Amino acid sequence: MVSHFEQFLAMGGYAKYVWSAYGLGVIVIIGNGIYTARIKRDAIAKLKRRYRT
Amino acid sequence: MWTFFYKMSSGRSFYQLSGRFIPFFALASMLLFAYGLVGGLWLAPPDFQQGDAFRIIYIHVPSAFLSLMIFSVMTFCAVLSLVWRIKMADLILQVSCPLGAWFTALALATGSIWGKPMWGTYWVWDARLTSELILLFIYFGVIVLSHTIPEERTAAKASAILTLVGFVDIPIIHFSVNWWNTLHQGDTLKIFSKSTIAPSMLHPLLAMIGAFAFFYGWMCLSRARSLCLLKDKRARWVEELVKSW
């Protein structure tokens, strides 16, 4: 089982290329997700401040 | 259809309708990501020529697809904005642009990573790669333009016009592999004939393209909703909504 998983990680010798491509994909997806949440949070905070005064 | 676009010129109806789409987009995106990643990284067999390196396709092709799709959405919004003055179209265009730039950059970067073991080089100045790089600069141009013009209406108009002009690059990118001799391979997915890819490799690819597209829809609507609230901050419905939270 362990060797099976190691084989998976090795990607037939292309590990460096495959995992760096997937890593970049994950960064772009997660990063944009976090940024979207921040836009929403900031907008709500700004509007709440506005209506409080 | 026209009444739909007419309604979408009001911030309130846009806000309400888009809120109903977001959970669906989010769920569809996550399910397709799960299936696409398991299928692409684990279940699909290694390619007989490229070995496991072909698995980069599941990131590269969806992001390249989005780079073209998002720009097409922006062009559609530019027309709606310039011809019918639909305000929400400006918002969609504005929030789509950075997302499109990110996916274009991702397509270029993953293509580069893929090129090294397969072509022996990270970069060549051939038609497909160069026209995609130009698309990235067009995205940058629209972002810069919309942020440097202080007056909101003028900025929206200028971005819409630049988007229309930039659209000429989209067919060039799409057909570049047919028009010029290039290192980049031809189309694998075909709409009108059988795709030249085995089903066990094809299904995860379609799933990943769907996952990326729904992710874009999710991010785009969510950001547009936030901007929509800020834009309509003087309206009563926004005040009531924000106070109810």
Side-chain angles (χ1 to χ4, degrees):
Chain A
M1 192 61 215
V2 174
S3 73
H4 220 80
F5 187 65
E6 275 168 5
Q7 207 182 358
F8 172 69
L9 286 183
M11 279 291 153
Y14 293 112
K16 197 168 65 168
Y17 303 107
V18 173
W19 294 119
S20 56
Y22 277 80
L24 287 177
V26 168
I27 290 170
V28 170
I29 296 284
I30 303 277
N32 272 296
I34 292 172
Y35 188 59
T36 302
R38 266 185 48 185
I39 290 177
K40 187 178 176 184
R41 198 194 58 196
D42 292 352
I44 291 171
K46 200 171 165 186
L47 289 169
K48 281 205 163 156
R49 268 200 309 276
R50 182 191 160 91
Y51 296 133
R52 207 174 294 137
T53 52
Chain B
M1 172 133 162
W2 290 114
T3 40
F4 172 77
F5 286 124
Y6 182 71
K7 258 184 102 176
M8 284 307 104
S9 58
S10 128
R12 187 179 192 172
S13 32
F14 170 78
Y15 189 88
Q16 286 170 343
L17 188 69
S18 58
R20 261 178 262 158
F21 277 98
I22 284 180
F24 168 72
F25 282 4
L27 187 69
S29 166
M30 285 192 266
L31 289 177
L32 287 170
F33 266 126
Y35 170 71
L37 285 175
V38 172
L41 282 171
W42 192 269
L43 300 177
D47 185 67
F48 89 106
Q49 277 180 331
Q50 301 201 359
D52 283 309
F54 98 96
R55 296 183 199 282
I56 296 173
I57 201 176
Y58 298 114
I59 304 291
H60 177 71
V61 168
S63 44
F65 174 80
L66 271 202
S67 72
L68 303 182
M69 188 190 91
I70 294 177
F71 207 88
S72 308
V73 170
M74 284 168 57
T75 307
F76 183 63
C77 288
V79 173
L80 288 182
S81 161
L82 289 173
V83 180
W84 290 286
R85 307 273 164 99
I86 294 174
K87 274 178 282 170
M88 292 308 126
D90 289 325
L91 285 188
I92 301 283
L93 194 152
Q94 197 188 335
V95 298
S96 293
C97 198
L99 288 164
W102 273 113
F103 286 109
T104 310
L106 184 61
L108 287 166
T110 53
S112 216
I113 293 169
W114 199 0
K116 187 59 185 170
M118 291 306 133
W119 300 344
T121 175
Y122 284 113
W123 187 262
V124 280
W125 290 102
D126 87 343
R128 179 49 82 72
L129 283 71
T130 309
S131 53
E132 183 79 7
L133 184 66
I134 291 171
L135 179 65
L136 182 63
F137 292 142
I138 295 172
Y139 274 120
F140 286 161
V142 178
I143 294 173
V144 168
L145 199 57
S146 64
H147 282 88
T148 44
I149 300 177
E151 210 275 304
E152 208 176 292
R153 275 300 310 165
T154 322
K157 207 169 181 179
S159 329
I161 291 170
L162 184 58
T163 304
L164 283 188
V165 174
F167 188 71
V168 290
D169 196 33
I170 300 301
I172 295 179
I173 294 174
H174 183 76
F175 293 110
S176 58
V177 284
N178 306 334
W179 289 346
W180 290 284
N181 279 317
T182 149
L183 261 186
H184 197 284
Q185 67 188 69
D187 298 335
T188 304
L189 302 178
K190 296 188 182 68
I191 297 172
F192 300 111
S193 52
K194 209 171 166 351
S195 295
T196 50
I197 179 172
S200 63
M201 294 175 174
L202 173 66
H203 295 155
L205 181 59
L206 294 176
M208 286 299 273
I209 292 175
F212 271 64
F214 280 121
F215 178 78
Y216 157 69
W218 174 17
M219 295 295 114
C220 172
L221 287 185
S222 172
R223 291 182 190 187
R225 271 158 63 88
S226 302
L227 292 192
C228 172
L229 287 182
L230 287 175
K231 206 174 172 148
D232 278 3
K233 56 180 179 282
R234 283 187 203 88
R236 192 190 206 112
W237 70 271
V238 177
E239 188 168 352
E240 280 167 1
L241 185 70
V242 172
K243 280 183 171 165
S244 71
W245 286 332

